[in-house]
Each structure stands twice: as C-alpha cells, then as structure tokens.
Amino acid sequence: MIEIQGVSRTFGSRRVLDGVSFSVAAGRMTGFVGANGAGKTTTMRILLGVLAADTGTITIDGAPITAADRAGFGYMPEERGLYPKMKVLEQLVYLGRLHGMTATGAKASAERLVERLGLADRAGDTLESLSLGNQQRAQIAAALVHEPRVLVLDEPFSGLDPMAVEVVVGVLRDYAAQGVPVLFSSHQLDIVERLCDDLVIVGGGKILAQGSREALRAEHSGRVFEIEIAGSAGDAGWIREHPGVTVTHLDGGLARFEADTVAAAQSVLTRAVTEGDPAVSHVRRFGPVTPSLAQIFQEVVR
C-alpha cells in the first residue's frame, strides 16, 4: 500500500498542494480526479521522486519510500516521453533493460505487451509514424514493460478510441488483480467511474473527497428518490401535492423527487402501494437515486 500523508508543495508564492493525504491500496484501482491545475500531476511527481515535497511523508507498505522502491514503479506521464525515431519494440526492450531486466526477459515482456495492446503489426515502426492513439498505447506499454510493482498513470486514456480504451482497461485490471496498487488520473469521468475501486477528488491543492466508489455514492446520494408506478395508479402526478417532497421529474408513472426526510419518501411509497385498484396496480420500483461520479465531482468542487 502507498500512503501519502500531509504532503504540501509551494512554487514561489503559490501553494499547489496543501496537506494532501490519501492511500493507494494493493490490488485496487484508485482514480485521481480534479480540474486542470488542481494538483494531480504535482502529487504524482512527488510520489515518483521527480519533485520534492515541502512537508509530508510517503510510505510503501509502512516504510519510507526509497529510490529503490521507485525504480520498481511504472509511470506514464501525460506528456509523451518516448523516442520518436526509435522503433516501438526496440524501445520497449531498451526500457526494460534500463530497469534491470535481462535481454531475453525484456524482449519477451515487450512482445507480450505489443500483442496485448494491439501493436504487434506496428512493432517495427518508429513511434513518430504511429497515430496518436497508437503512440498512447506504446506509452502505456513503456510503463508496463518492466513488470512494475506499482502503477502511476497520468491520463492513460487520452486519445484512445473506445476499442483501445477497453483493451487498456483490461490490461490495468489484470495488474490490479495481481495485487499491484494502481493510481490513475483521467478527465474521462465515465471511464473512472467504471474502472476505479477507490476515488480521490482534488481541488485547489486539497483533497475534497475520497473513499471507495460505493461509499462516496452512498455519502452523496442525499434524499433523492425515484418511483415507477404501473396499472390504474400509473399517473404519479399526485406526488406533486404530497407533503414533504418536491418533484424534480415526472413522466406518467415515473417520478423523481427530493424528500425532506426518509419518512416522507416512505409515505410516498405507502400511498403508491394503496393507490388505485390493487388487483391491477403495482409499484415497479422504488429507491434512492445513486449519483454518478460526474454529479459527485460537480458537487464537491463547487
């Protein structure tokens, strides 16, 4: 497990990070999201030792992180950092060798990755001759070729088409399944929501929200409910007049409403069950509305 505790960083008079604390658990995908300039990349660079923190600590499995630990990290920067005139497979083998792999091991790992990431037929091409999407796949392969024990990926899905996204998602899930802690940032909140186990939202250099995906959804679900009624009670317009609730959406028997209390929401359900002819009327569904990651993000960054 990676633990970041109280990390702060100032550039000149600007405080970019202010007491940032969160953890990246082994075998879990942690999404790191925030607006541009929120502090994501600075945090990642401090984690990797590229920048030094003014204050705070970073530990791995309870011990202070060292240069040797970081040598086992796989890092993909947001900016492309590979050699444009070097062939893809040669470059991956070279990077594997730089991380201490044998020539045979580096070549086997590189060949496995280009196959898995859909680059096998372009492995002998130079990086600059590839499309932007394929360059991104090569960049991801470069972060993985040395079989890292920790993954830190800055915008790994940028420039990828939907098919490529699915390939990369599958690869990252495989690494997490092997117990690797995975920290990744992305502006594509739909992908983050689908992929992450845990979520950290940063803004203005501070952690605004963090926790498991399910816990954050529960925490921010509020008192918004949805009910769908069928049969002779299929018109849910009466809910507008029901005490303690405010209807926000109504379409025939489908209504979404905000309730002052859980009891008020339950009273809507009670009436819906008894409304109309019970022989032909029924409640198809009723329950709280779970917010999307995009809705949670908008709520906490306001």
Side-chain angles (χ1 to χ4, degrees):
M1 174 182 285
I2 304 291
E3 291 192 80
I4 298 169
Q5 291 291 330
V7 167
S8 297
R9 172 72 195 214
T10 301
F11 292 107
S13 60
R14 181 169 170 248
R15 197 168 184 82
V16 178
L17 298 179
D18 188 3
V20 166
S21 298
F22 66 92
S23 61
V24 185
R28 292 180 70 83
M29 306 279 294
T30 300
F32 193 31
V33 300
N36 290 331
K40 302 186 301 298
T41 297
T42 299
T43 302
M44 288 181 166
R45 287 175 175 170
I46 290 173
L47 172 58
L48 290 153
V50 177
L51 292 174
D54 296 333
T55 62
T57 61
I58 300 176
T59 59
I60 180 167
D61 297 332
I65 196 166
T66 66
D69 292 323
R70 289 182 169 116
F73 283 21
Y75 174 51
M76 198 202 89
E78 183 176 8
E79 308 85 6
R80 303 195 190 280
L82 301 181
Y83 301 107
K85 297 187 180 300
M86 197 170 181
K87 294 178 181 179
V88 172
L89 188 65
E90 289 178 358
Q91 187 155 190
L92 295 177
V93 173
Y94 171 69
L95 292 172
R97 297 283 284 140
L98 283 181
H99 279 90
M101 301 181 79
T102 65
T104 301
K107 188 172 186 291
S109 179
E111 288 176 341
R112 184 170 59 250
L113 281 167
V114 295
E115 182 70 35
R116 180 75 189 275
L117 290 166
L119 286 171
D121 59 344
R122 306 302 302 272
D125 296 346
T126 61
L127 190 77
E128 65 182 1
S129 70
L130 303 183
S131 67
L132 292 179
N134 280 337
Q135 288 184 30
Q136 186 77 346
R137 295 188 200 208
Q139 191 87 37
I140 293 167
L144 302 175
V145 68
H146 58 291
E147 300 174 353
R149 59 178 296 209
V150 175
L151 277 177
V152 181
L153 310 170
D154 200 352
E155 295 291 339
F157 306 105
S158 177
L160 296 181
D161 61 45
M163 291 288 289
V165 166
E166 292 306 313
V167 170
V168 173
V169 164
V171 170
L172 297 184
R173 280 183 171 150
D174 285 350
Y175 270 83
Q178 296 168 23
V180 174
V182 181
L183 176 67
F184 70 99
S185 72
S186 178
H187 286 101
Q188 295 161 274
L189 297 183
D190 57 329
I191 298 175
V192 178
E193 183 162 26
R194 183 160 53 93
L195 185 57
C196 75
D197 300 302
D198 302 306
L199 181 68
V200 179
I201 301 177
V202 63
K206 297 181 178 181
I207 301 300
L208 303 178
Q210 63 177 303
S212 72
R213 178 178 53 191
E214 293 76 15
L216 284 174
R217 282 173 169 167
E219 179 183 343
H220 292 272
S221 62
R223 293 200 173 104
V224 180
F225 294 81
E226 195 167 80
I227 189 168
E228 185 177 4
I229 308 166
S232 60
D235 182 2
W238 55 267
I239 299 177
R240 286 193 175 116
E241 310 303 323
H242 198 83
V245 304
T246 302
V247 174
T248 58
H249 175 79
L250 181 64
D251 182 10
L254 176 64
R256 180 174 294 187
F257 60 91
E258 297 178 1
D260 294 343
T261 63
V262 174
Q266 290 293 335
S267 70
V268 170
L269 175 61
T270 300
R271 179 173 173 183
V273 169
T274 58
E275 191 78 7
D277 181 355
V280 294
S281 301
H282 65 277
V283 176
R284 285 182 174 167
R285 58 190 172 96
F286 169 80
V289 175
T290 302
S292 68
L293 173 54
Q295 291 170 323
I296 294 172
F297 180 79
Q298 290 169 5
E299 179 181 336
V300 302
V301 300
R302 286 175 187 163

